[in-house]
Amino acid sequence: MTKIPPEHPRVVSLRTREKLIEQYDKGVVAPAGLIAHGRGEAFDYLLGEKTTEPALRAMEAAVAALLTAEKPVISVNGNVAALAAEDIVELSQATCAKIEVNLFYRSLEREKAIRELLEKAGARAILGVGEDASARIPELGSERRRVDPHGILVADVILVPLEDGDRTEALVKMGKKVIAIDLNPLSRTAQKASITIVDNIVRAAPKLVEIAKELEEDGKKNCKKILANFDNKKNLSESIALINERLSNIAKERKHLTLRGGQLDL
Ligand code: ATP
Ligand code: MG
């Protein structure tokens, strides 16, 4: 792996890329997964590369939904396994959610490589690998339609980090509560999900574990209150407004500095 100097201003972003490349070499991440990450990074730049207030509130609602679900499932693809395997396993334990492998670019080798990575991170039972994904989601053309009859097919709440819009829509149509983690608040996934966390999975996954441990102690009554007070459309608008505000402020500063002949430090 390339040595990234710790003082580099983009050290977290560069290390994240290295992790994806390493897991690409091991067959966990698909080539298109590298490109999808780039789309995410662009939005992270616009968000200021930090977890926002609306994202935190969406995370609380997400954990509340998982904790009060009857059959919660966390759906994992190559990028999620590469970037957040340990946290996903911890979150599944804290919320009693099953873990299922679900891929757009499906191959038995990749499914097994992802399972291995999750098992190394402490997972015990991984659904959706090989013949286990014997059920089908109606309406979906992609390989994402293949699901485990003991997992996504019968789940009431599904966490789908870094998801494709088609499947989000199909799962919502099936009456399931879908939680997405997506840096792009404009994607179809973000727009169609029941709860959308507009944040980088690298930051969101450990935060979700932390919130799960806190909310578990508070009991289910508090979870129901959080869910009743959460409005996803409003929350998404707040994320979009934050990007807008940030860009306007930067544009204003730049204009001001240009007038003074100065430099803008982003
Ligand atoms: P959609 O299908 O929902 O309309 P899309 O086609 O634009 O979205 P996809 O390629 O299907 O995008 O999925 C990749 C999505 O994952 C992108 O929206 C991107 O913002 C998001 N993404 C990529 N990397 C991360 C990450 N590390 N954390 C959070 N989101 C990410
Ligand atoms: Mg897509």
Side-chain angles (χ1 to χ4, degrees):
M1 227 200 271
T2 315
K3 179 133 182 52
I4 300 158
E7 67 281 4
H8 192 289
R10 312 205 65 74
V11 66
V12 178
S13 161
L14 293 177
R15 282 196 181 137
T16 304
R17 286 183 183 179
E18 286 294 323
K19 264 192 206 170
L20 285 170
I21 294 167
E22 189 191 345
Q23 293 303 331
Y24 165 76
D25 288 338
K26 290 188 178 158
V28 166
V29 171
L34 299 175
I35 300 168
H37 183 74
R39 174 132 67 204
E41 277 187 337
F43 281 94
D44 209 8
Y45 215 109
L46 300 179
L47 283 161
E49 292 172 306
K50 48 181 190 286
T51 300
T52 64
E53 271 303 313
L56 270 178
R57 270 180 276 122
M59 281 188 230
E60 266 182 21
V63 171
L66 287 169
L67 285 172
T68 51
E70 269 177 35
K71 291 177 177 174
V73 170
I74 303 174
S75 175
V76 174
N77 67 11
N79 285 36
V80 174
L83 297 180
E86 272 96 11
D87 292 318
I88 290 296
V89 172
E90 251 199 276
L91 184 64
S92 81
Q93 286 162 354
T95 59
C96 298
K98 291 179 178 170
I99 299 179
E100 177 164 342
V101 175
N102 186 273
L103 309 176
F104 194 91
Y105 300 97
R106 204 178 249 280
S107 76
L108 191 57
E109 292 74 49
R110 269 191 79 219
E111 290 165 38
K112 284 185 176 164
I114 292 170
R115 178 170 65 188
E116 200 185 313
L117 190 59
L118 289 164
E119 281 172 350
K120 263 194 201 146
R124 283 195 210 108
I126 307 291
L127 304 179
V129 176
E131 295 304 313
D132 289 349
S134 59
R136 299 285 178 272
I137 298 180
E139 299 176 43
L140 262 190
S142 77
E143 282 295 279
R144 286 270 207 191
R145 73 183 185 279
R146 292 176 53 184
V147 292
D148 195 311
H150 304 290
I152 289 172
L153 188 75
V154 291
D156 53 347
V157 176
I158 311 170
L159 171 63
V160 290
L162 324 193
E163 181 63 21
D164 185 52
D166 284 18
R167 191 169 73 123
T168 306
E169 211 173 343
L171 293 172
V172 170
K173 269 195 192 151
M174 286 170 84
K176 299 176 190 299
K177 189 172 268 186
V178 177
I179 305 163
I181 303 176
D182 193 332
L183 278 161
N184 177 4
L186 305 171
S187 75
R188 276 176 314 142
T189 301
Q191 297 286 332
K192 298 283 179 188
S194 326
I195 299 172
T196 310
I197 300 164
V198 181
D199 199 9
N200 197 321
I201 186 147
V202 172
R203 295 187 299 268
K207 194 74 201 166
L208 284 167
V209 173
E210 199 184 307
I211 296 172
K213 286 177 182 165
E214 279 166 25
L215 283 188
E216 214 186 0
E217 282 176 16
D218 288 358
K220 291 203 171 165
K221 212 171 147 205
N222 198 19
C223 288
K224 289 201 173 125
K225 208 167 115 196
I226 291 170
L227 284 170
N229 289 330
F230 183 76
D231 179 339
N232 202 46
K233 290 263 176 302
K234 189 164 161 264
N235 193 273
L236 263 178
S237 302
E238 284 172 18
S239 291
I240 297 166
L242 273 180
I243 293 179
N244 194 14
E245 218 173 281
R246 193 165 173 270
L247 292 183
S248 302
N249 286 339
I250 293 170
K252 269 188 222 147
E253 266 175 68
R254 182 168 284 279
K255 198 169 159 202
H256 184 65
L257 284 167
T258 309
L259 290 173
R260 293 195 334 219
Q263 283 286 316
L264 185 64
D265 183 13
L266 287 175

